[in-house]
mmCIF file of all heavy atoms in Angstrom:
data_model
loop_
_atom_site.group_PDB
_atom_site.id
_atom_site.type_symbol
_atom_site.label_atom_id
_atom_site.label_comp_id
_atom_site.label_asym_id
_atom_site.label_seq_id
_atom_site.Cartn_x
_atom_site.Cartn_y
_atom_site.Cartn_z
ATOM 1 N N PRO Y 723 -17.323 5.947 -15.122
ATOM 2 C CA PRO Y 723 -16.523 6.829 -14.405
ATOM 3 C C PRO Y 723 -17.262 7.959 -13.742
ATOM 4 O O PRO Y 723 -17.992 8.654 -14.431
ATOM 5 C CB PRO Y 723 -15.434 7.278 -15.421
ATOM 6 C CG PRO Y 723 -15.519 6.254 -16.495
ATOM 7 C CD PRO Y 723 -16.841 5.784 -16.609
ATOM 8 N N ARG Y 724 -16.992 8.257 -12.517
ATOM 9 C CA ARG Y 724 -17.558 9.455 -11.825
ATOM 10 C C ARG Y 724 -16.445 10.530 -11.620
ATOM 11 O O ARG Y 724 -16.835 11.669 -11.276
ATOM 12 C CB ARG Y 724 -18.113 9.087 -10.553
ATOM 13 C CG ARG Y 724 -19.352 8.185 -10.547
ATOM 14 C CD ARG Y 724 -19.837 7.878 -9.203
ATOM 15 N NE ARG Y 724 -18.868 6.997 -8.440
ATOM 16 C CZ ARG Y 724 -18.804 6.921 -7.059
ATOM 17 N NH1 ARG Y 724 -19.560 7.655 -6.333
ATOM 18 N NH2 ARG Y 724 -17.963 6.034 -6.478
ATOM 19 N N TYR Y 725 -15.220 10.083 -11.767
ATOM 20 C CA TYR Y 725 -14.101 11.120 -11.479
ATOM 21 C C TYR Y 725 -13.246 11.349 -12.658
ATOM 22 O O TYR Y 725 -13.061 10.464 -13.474
ATOM 23 C CB TYR Y 725 -13.287 10.492 -10.260
ATOM 24 C CG TYR Y 725 -14.068 10.257 -9.022
ATOM 25 C CD1 TYR Y 725 -14.483 8.989 -8.678
ATOM 26 C CD2 TYR Y 725 -14.412 11.390 -8.139
ATOM 27 C CE1 TYR Y 725 -15.214 8.849 -7.594
ATOM 28 C CE2 TYR Y 725 -15.083 11.153 -7.023
ATOM 29 C CZ TYR Y 725 -15.509 9.871 -6.791
ATOM 30 O OH TYR Y 725 -16.271 9.649 -5.545
ATOM 31 N N VAL Y 726 -12.725 12.507 -12.733
ATOM 32 C CA VAL Y 726 -11.720 12.947 -13.749
ATOM 33 C C VAL Y 726 -10.523 13.619 -13.134
ATOM 34 O O VAL Y 726 -10.616 14.227 -12.141
ATOM 35 C CB VAL Y 726 -12.367 13.916 -14.724
ATOM 36 C CG1 VAL Y 726 -12.856 15.185 -14.078
ATOM 37 C CG2 VAL Y 726 -11.443 14.337 -15.850
ATOM 38 N N ILE Y 727 -9.431 13.194 -13.687
ATOM 39 C CA ILE Y 727 -8.060 13.658 -13.128
ATOM 40 C C ILE Y 727 -7.312 14.235 -14.256
ATOM 41 O O ILE Y 727 -7.165 13.604 -15.388
ATOM 42 C CB ILE Y 727 -7.276 12.687 -12.442
ATOM 43 C CG1 ILE Y 727 -8.061 12.104 -11.315
ATOM 44 C CG2 ILE Y 727 -6.059 13.275 -11.806
ATOM 45 C CD1 ILE Y 727 -8.740 10.771 -11.576
ATOM 46 N N VAL Y 728 -6.698 15.380 -14.247
ATOM 47 C CA VAL Y 728 -5.824 16.016 -15.273
ATOM 48 C C VAL Y 728 -4.531 16.258 -14.630
ATOM 49 O O VAL Y 728 -4.427 17.005 -13.650
ATOM 50 C CB VAL Y 728 -6.502 17.382 -15.884
ATOM 51 C CG1 VAL Y 728 -5.540 17.946 -16.862
ATOM 52 C CG2 VAL Y 728 -7.864 17.064 -16.550
ATOM 53 N N ILE Y 729 -3.461 15.806 -15.245
ATOM 54 C CA ILE Y 729 -2.017 15.951 -14.736
ATOM 55 C C ILE Y 729 -1.203 16.469 -15.891
ATOM 56 O O ILE Y 729 -0.869 15.708 -16.746
ATOM 57 C CB ILE Y 729 -1.569 14.682 -14.157
ATOM 58 C CG1 ILE Y 729 -2.407 14.134 -13.041
ATOM 59 C CG2 ILE Y 729 -0.095 14.939 -13.586
ATOM 60 C CD1 ILE Y 729 -2.037 12.777 -12.449
ATOM 61 N N PRO Y 730 -0.805 17.795 -15.825
ATOM 62 C CA PRO Y 730 0.293 18.134 -16.816
ATOM 63 C C PRO Y 730 1.608 17.540 -16.516
ATOM 64 O O PRO Y 730 1.989 17.426 -15.388
ATOM 65 C CB PRO Y 730 0.221 19.661 -16.767
ATOM 66 C CG PRO Y 730 -0.312 19.883 -15.319
ATOM 67 C CD PRO Y 730 -1.067 18.719 -14.886
ATOM 68 N N VAL Y 731 2.453 17.309 -17.615
ATOM 69 C CA VAL Y 731 3.749 16.772 -17.459
ATOM 70 C C VAL Y 731 4.649 17.502 -18.210
ATOM 71 O O VAL Y 731 4.506 17.803 -19.410
ATOM 72 C CB VAL Y 731 3.771 15.264 -17.738
ATOM 73 C CG1 VAL Y 731 5.255 14.723 -17.739
ATOM 74 C CG2 VAL Y 731 2.861 14.487 -16.898
ATOM 75 N N LYS Y 732 5.918 17.857 -17.621
ATOM 76 C CA LYS Y 732 7.029 18.575 -18.400
ATOM 77 C C LYS Y 732 8.226 17.735 -18.096
ATOM 78 O O LYS Y 732 8.617 17.283 -17.060
ATOM 79 C CB LYS Y 732 7.258 19.932 -17.767
ATOM 80 C CG LYS Y 732 8.445 20.673 -18.316
ATOM 81 C CD LYS Y 732 8.017 21.174 -19.762
ATOM 82 C CE LYS Y 732 9.201 22.035 -20.286
ATOM 83 N NZ LYS Y 732 8.937 22.542 -21.609
ATOM 84 N N LYS Y 733 8.938 17.312 -19.337
ATOM 85 C CA LYS Y 733 10.127 16.527 -19.247
ATOM 86 C C LYS Y 733 11.345 17.499 -19.268
ATOM 87 O O LYS Y 733 11.268 18.646 -19.772
ATOM 88 C CB LYS Y 733 10.179 15.708 -20.538
ATOM 89 C CG LYS Y 733 9.039 14.598 -20.595
ATOM 90 C CD LYS Y 733 9.427 13.492 -19.489
ATOM 91 C CE LYS Y 733 8.394 12.299 -19.806
ATOM 92 N NZ LYS Y 733 8.612 11.189 -18.856
ATOM 93 N N ASN Y 734 12.517 17.000 -18.783
ATOM 94 C CA ASN Y 734 13.769 17.841 -18.812
ATOM 95 C C ASN Y 734 14.476 17.619 -20.169
ATOM 96 O O ASN Y 734 14.230 16.799 -21.022
ATOM 97 C CB ASN Y 734 14.591 17.566 -17.613
ATOM 98 C CG ASN Y 734 14.980 16.149 -17.571
ATOM 99 O OD1 ASN Y 734 15.036 15.515 -18.541
ATOM 100 N ND2 ASN Y 734 15.446 15.612 -16.393
ATOM 101 N N ALA Y 735 15.627 18.440 -20.240
ATOM 102 C CA ALA Y 735 16.510 18.392 -21.474
ATOM 103 C C ALA Y 735 17.103 17.051 -21.683
ATOM 104 O O ALA Y 735 17.302 16.739 -22.837
ATOM 105 C CB ALA Y 735 17.413 19.531 -21.449
ATOM 106 N N GLU Y 736 17.420 16.476 -20.541
ATOM 107 C CA GLU Y 736 18.083 15.108 -20.779
ATOM 108 C C GLU Y 736 17.219 14.138 -21.481
ATOM 109 O O GLU Y 736 17.651 13.345 -22.238
ATOM 110 C CB GLU Y 736 18.563 14.603 -19.371
ATOM 111 C CG GLU Y 736 19.273 13.284 -19.390
ATOM 112 C CD GLU Y 736 19.734 12.739 -17.943
ATOM 113 O OE1 GLU Y 736 19.348 13.502 -16.967
ATOM 114 O OE2 GLU Y 736 20.195 11.649 -17.896
ATOM 115 N N TRP Y 737 15.896 14.202 -21.130
ATOM 116 C CA TRP Y 737 14.946 13.253 -21.806
ATOM 117 C C TRP Y 737 14.961 13.437 -23.277
ATOM 118 O O TRP Y 737 15.005 12.582 -24.127
ATOM 119 C CB TRP Y 737 13.620 13.360 -21.126
ATOM 120 C CG TRP Y 737 12.499 12.751 -22.027
ATOM 121 C CD1 TRP Y 737 11.699 13.267 -22.922
ATOM 122 C CD2 TRP Y 737 12.158 11.373 -21.868
ATOM 123 N NE1 TRP Y 737 10.767 12.387 -23.451
ATOM 124 C CE2 TRP Y 737 10.994 11.152 -22.813
ATOM 125 C CE3 TRP Y 737 12.650 10.337 -21.096
ATOM 126 C CZ2 TRP Y 737 10.452 9.887 -22.988
ATOM 127 C CZ3 TRP Y 737 12.000 9.060 -21.212
ATOM 128 C CH2 TRP Y 737 10.930 8.840 -22.078
ATOM 129 N N TRP Y 738 14.734 14.832 -23.688
ATOM 130 C CA TRP Y 738 14.697 15.047 -25.170
ATOM 131 C C TRP Y 738 15.973 14.944 -25.923
ATOM 132 O O TRP Y 738 16.017 14.729 -27.123
ATOM 133 C CB TRP Y 738 14.177 16.532 -25.295
ATOM 134 C CG TRP Y 738 12.735 16.725 -24.806
ATOM 135 C CD1 TRP Y 738 12.340 17.370 -23.700
ATOM 136 C CD2 TRP Y 738 11.598 16.063 -25.325
ATOM 137 N NE1 TRP Y 738 10.975 17.289 -23.576
ATOM 138 C CE2 TRP Y 738 10.531 16.447 -24.594
ATOM 139 C CE3 TRP Y 738 11.363 15.170 -26.394
ATOM 140 C CZ2 TRP Y 738 9.247 16.058 -24.825
ATOM 141 C CZ3 TRP Y 738 10.031 14.704 -26.591
ATOM 142 C CH2 TRP Y 738 9.028 15.134 -25.841
ATOM 143 N N ASN Y 739 17.095 14.841 -25.183
ATOM 144 C CA ASN Y 739 18.408 14.560 -25.899
ATOM 145 C C ASN Y 739 18.828 13.211 -25.938
ATOM 146 O O ASN Y 739 19.901 12.847 -26.426
ATOM 147 C CB ASN Y 739 19.524 15.419 -25.210
ATOM 148 C CG ASN Y 739 19.378 16.894 -25.591
ATOM 149 O OD1 ASN Y 739 19.997 17.258 -26.709
ATOM 150 N ND2 ASN Y 739 18.796 17.733 -24.782
ATOM 151 N N MET Y 740 18.013 12.284 -25.397
ATOM 152 C CA MET Y 740 18.226 10.914 -25.559
ATOM 153 C C MET Y 740 17.751 10.400 -26.975
ATOM 154 O O MET Y 740 17.080 11.122 -27.534
ATOM 155 C CB MET Y 740 17.341 10.137 -24.481
ATOM 156 C CG MET Y 740 17.658 10.347 -23.052
ATOM 157 S SD MET Y 740 16.467 9.681 -21.855
ATOM 158 C CE MET Y 740 16.585 7.915 -22.301
ATOM 159 N N SER Y 741 18.424 9.345 -27.466
ATOM 160 C CA SER Y 741 18.032 8.836 -28.796
ATOM 161 C C SER Y 741 16.525 8.262 -28.749
ATOM 162 O O SER Y 741 16.178 7.929 -27.564
ATOM 163 C CB SER Y 741 18.958 7.716 -29.170
ATOM 164 O OG SER Y 741 18.822 6.552 -28.393
ATOM 165 N N PRO Y 742 15.879 8.245 -29.875
ATOM 166 C CA PRO Y 742 14.544 7.610 -29.798
ATOM 167 C C PRO Y 742 14.551 6.287 -29.275
ATOM 168 O O PRO Y 742 13.514 5.776 -28.559
ATOM 169 C CB PRO Y 742 14.224 7.615 -31.390
ATOM 170 C CG PRO Y 742 15.175 8.799 -31.896
ATOM 171 C CD PRO Y 742 16.284 8.756 -31.184
ATOM 172 N N GLU Y 743 15.601 5.411 -29.531
ATOM 173 C CA GLU Y 743 15.747 4.037 -29.023
ATOM 174 C C GLU Y 743 15.638 4.035 -27.510
ATOM 175 O O GLU Y 743 15.137 3.161 -26.968
ATOM 176 C CB GLU Y 743 16.809 3.351 -29.728
ATOM 177 C CG GLU Y 743 16.787 3.124 -31.188
ATOM 178 C CD GLU Y 743 17.065 4.419 -31.974
ATOM 179 O OE1 GLU Y 743 17.620 5.327 -31.497
ATOM 180 O OE2 GLU Y 743 16.692 4.346 -33.151
ATOM 181 N N GLU Y 744 16.513 4.950 -26.970
ATOM 182 C CA GLU Y 744 16.560 4.994 -25.407
ATOM 183 C C GLU Y 744 15.253 5.467 -24.929
ATOM 184 O O GLU Y 744 14.793 4.965 -23.879
ATOM 185 C CB GLU Y 744 17.673 6.069 -25.124
ATOM 186 C CG GLU Y 744 19.085 5.536 -25.382
ATOM 187 C CD GLU Y 744 20.217 6.712 -25.120
ATOM 188 O OE1 GLU Y 744 19.928 7.782 -25.394
ATOM 189 O OE2 GLU Y 744 21.181 6.362 -24.687
ATOM 190 N N ARG Y 745 14.615 6.434 -25.476
ATOM 191 C CA ARG Y 745 13.318 6.826 -24.967
ATOM 192 C C ARG Y 745 12.203 5.789 -25.106
ATOM 193 O O ARG Y 745 11.371 5.511 -24.273
ATOM 194 C CB ARG Y 745 12.784 8.060 -25.716
ATOM 195 C CG ARG Y 745 13.544 9.282 -25.330
ATOM 196 C CD ARG Y 745 12.854 10.595 -25.635
ATOM 197 N NE ARG Y 745 12.435 10.723 -27.038
ATOM 198 C CZ ARG Y 745 13.244 11.217 -28.012
ATOM 199 N NH1 ARG Y 745 14.493 11.704 -27.668
ATOM 200 N NH2 ARG Y 745 12.880 11.280 -29.307
ATOM 201 N N LEU Y 746 12.349 4.980 -26.193
ATOM 202 C CA LEU Y 746 11.442 3.786 -26.337
ATOM 203 C C LEU Y 746 11.543 2.720 -25.170
ATOM 204 O O LEU Y 746 10.555 2.309 -24.703
ATOM 205 C CB LEU Y 746 11.702 3.043 -27.732
ATOM 206 C CG LEU Y 746 10.991 1.724 -27.930
ATOM 207 C CD1 LEU Y 746 9.424 1.989 -27.947
ATOM 208 C CD2 LEU Y 746 11.442 1.129 -29.150
ATOM 209 N N LYS Y 747 12.814 2.479 -24.873
ATOM 210 C CA LYS Y 747 13.132 1.538 -23.721
ATOM 211 C C LYS Y 747 12.450 2.065 -22.418
ATOM 212 O O LYS Y 747 11.813 1.248 -21.628
ATOM 213 C CB LYS Y 747 14.512 1.323 -23.560
ATOM 214 C CG LYS Y 747 15.127 0.520 -24.671
ATOM 215 C CD LYS Y 747 16.670 0.264 -24.469
ATOM 216 C CE LYS Y 747 17.339 -0.566 -25.670
ATOM 217 N NZ LYS Y 747 18.696 -0.643 -25.429
ATOM 218 N N GLU Y 748 12.571 3.341 -22.182
ATOM 219 C CA GLU Y 748 12.005 3.950 -21.006
ATOM 220 C C GLU Y 748 10.514 3.897 -20.912
ATOM 221 O O GLU Y 748 9.885 3.559 -19.996
ATOM 222 C CB GLU Y 748 12.538 5.358 -20.827
ATOM 223 C CG GLU Y 748 14.036 5.623 -20.631
ATOM 224 C CD GLU Y 748 14.514 5.034 -19.228
ATOM 225 O OE1 GLU Y 748 13.768 4.700 -18.408
ATOM 226 O OE2 GLU Y 748 15.794 4.781 -19.215
ATOM 227 N N MET Y 749 9.996 4.160 -22.124
ATOM 228 C CA MET Y 749 8.500 4.142 -22.248
ATOM 229 C C MET Y 749 7.949 2.660 -22.089
ATOM 230 O O MET Y 749 6.730 2.561 -21.683
ATOM 231 C CB MET Y 749 8.004 4.859 -23.529
ATOM 232 C CG MET Y 749 8.241 6.319 -23.565
ATOM 233 S SD MET Y 749 7.544 7.148 -22.110
ATOM 234 C CE MET Y 749 5.806 6.750 -22.220
ATOM 235 N N GLU Y 750 8.640 1.784 -22.473
ATOM 236 C CA GLU Y 750 8.305 0.319 -22.338
ATOM 237 C C GLU Y 750 8.216 0.014 -20.956
ATOM 238 O O GLU Y 750 7.291 -0.626 -20.308
ATOM 239 C CB GLU Y 750 9.154 -0.592 -23.122
ATOM 240 C CG GLU Y 750 8.999 -0.560 -24.648
ATOM 241 C CD GLU Y 750 9.934 -1.434 -25.384
ATOM 242 O OE1 GLU Y 750 11.073 -1.653 -24.898
ATOM 243 O OE2 GLU Y 750 9.570 -1.852 -26.555
ATOM 244 N N VAL Y 751 9.195 0.464 -20.122
ATOM 245 C CA VAL Y 751 9.233 0.282 -18.781
ATOM 246 C C VAL Y 751 8.183 1.050 -18.050
ATOM 247 O O VAL Y 751 7.568 0.472 -17.022
ATOM 248 C CB VAL Y 751 10.605 0.662 -18.117
ATOM 249 C CG1 VAL Y 751 10.588 0.559 -16.643
ATOM 250 C CG2 VAL Y 751 11.783 -0.216 -18.643
ATOM 251 N N HIS Y 752 7.822 2.161 -18.518
ATOM 252 C CA HIS Y 752 6.743 3.023 -17.998
ATOM 253 C C HIS Y 752 5.413 2.404 -18.256
ATOM 254 O O HIS Y 752 4.486 2.390 -17.497
ATOM 255 C CB HIS Y 752 6.717 4.417 -18.766
ATOM 256 C CG HIS Y 752 5.511 5.165 -18.509
ATOM 257 N ND1 HIS Y 752 5.525 6.273 -17.713
ATOM 258 C CD2 HIS Y 752 4.331 5.158 -19.130
ATOM 259 C CE1 HIS Y 752 4.391 6.867 -17.822
ATOM 260 N NE2 HIS Y 752 3.536 6.053 -18.741
ATOM 261 N N THR Y 753 5.230 1.753 -19.457
ATOM 262 C CA THR Y 753 3.913 1.165 -19.907
ATOM 263 C C THR Y 753 3.576 -0.088 -19.265
ATOM 264 O O THR Y 753 2.423 -0.334 -18.914
ATOM 265 C CB THR Y 753 3.826 1.137 -21.389
ATOM 266 O OG1 THR Y 753 4.088 2.286 -21.992
ATOM 267 C CG2 THR Y 753 2.560 0.560 -21.816
ATOM 268 N N THR Y 754 4.610 -0.887 -19.059
ATOM 269 C CA THR Y 754 4.300 -2.286 -18.526
ATOM 270 C C THR Y 754 3.400 -2.376 -17.212
ATOM 271 O O THR Y 754 2.381 -3.100 -17.193
ATOM 272 C CB THR Y 754 5.680 -3.026 -18.396
ATOM 273 O OG1 THR Y 754 6.337 -3.131 -19.469
ATOM 274 C CG2 THR Y 754 5.391 -4.421 -17.769
ATOM 275 N N PRO Y 755 3.720 -1.512 -16.227
ATOM 276 C CA PRO Y 755 2.916 -1.705 -15.041
ATOM 277 C C PRO Y 755 1.540 -1.017 -15.155
ATOM 278 O O PRO Y 755 0.703 -1.312 -14.250
ATOM 279 C CB PRO Y 755 3.750 -0.911 -13.904
ATOM 280 C CG PRO Y 755 4.600 0.014 -14.788
ATOM 281 C CD PRO Y 755 4.870 -0.682 -15.913
ATOM 282 N N THR Y 756 1.273 -0.278 -16.202
ATOM 283 C CA THR Y 756 -0.017 0.349 -16.314
ATOM 284 C C THR Y 756 -1.091 -0.607 -16.907
ATOM 285 O O THR Y 756 -2.241 -0.319 -16.701
ATOM 286 C CB THR Y 756 0.028 1.578 -17.215
ATOM 287 O OG1 THR Y 756 0.314 1.121 -18.588
ATOM 288 C CG2 THR Y 756 1.214 2.557 -16.798
ATOM 289 N N LEU Y 757 -0.602 -1.623 -17.555
ATOM 290 C CA LEU Y 757 -1.576 -2.455 -18.251
ATOM 291 C C LEU Y 757 -2.656 -3.069 -17.312
ATOM 292 O O LEU Y 757 -3.769 -3.249 -17.648
ATOM 293 C CB LEU Y 757 -0.844 -3.682 -18.943
ATOM 294 C CG LEU Y 757 0.091 -3.261 -20.041
ATOM 295 C CD1 LEU Y 757 0.860 -4.387 -20.648
ATOM 296 C CD2 LEU Y 757 -0.685 -2.272 -21.194
#
């Protein structure tokens, strides 16, 4: 690698008030296209 990128991320209150199971589903959708 020749390049480095740093991106800070802040989530909203709705995200943190979801159940762990709901956040898991969202993160599975998030992860799938990154593979």
Side-chain angles (χ1 to χ4, degrees):
R724 292 180 294 157
Y725 301 100
V726 59
I727 305 99
V728 178
I729 303 175
V731 175
K732 177 75 174 178
K733 297 287 192 179
N734 61 22
E736 185 180 355
W737 171 263
W738 292 116
N739 280 278
M740 294 168 64
S741 69
E743 293 75 20
E744 290 173 320
R745 291 199 300 273
L746 172 60
K747 290 180 181 179
E748 296 293 345
M749 290 307 300
E750 287 178 331
V751 174
H752 166 103
T753 303
T754 299
T756 71
L757 296 178

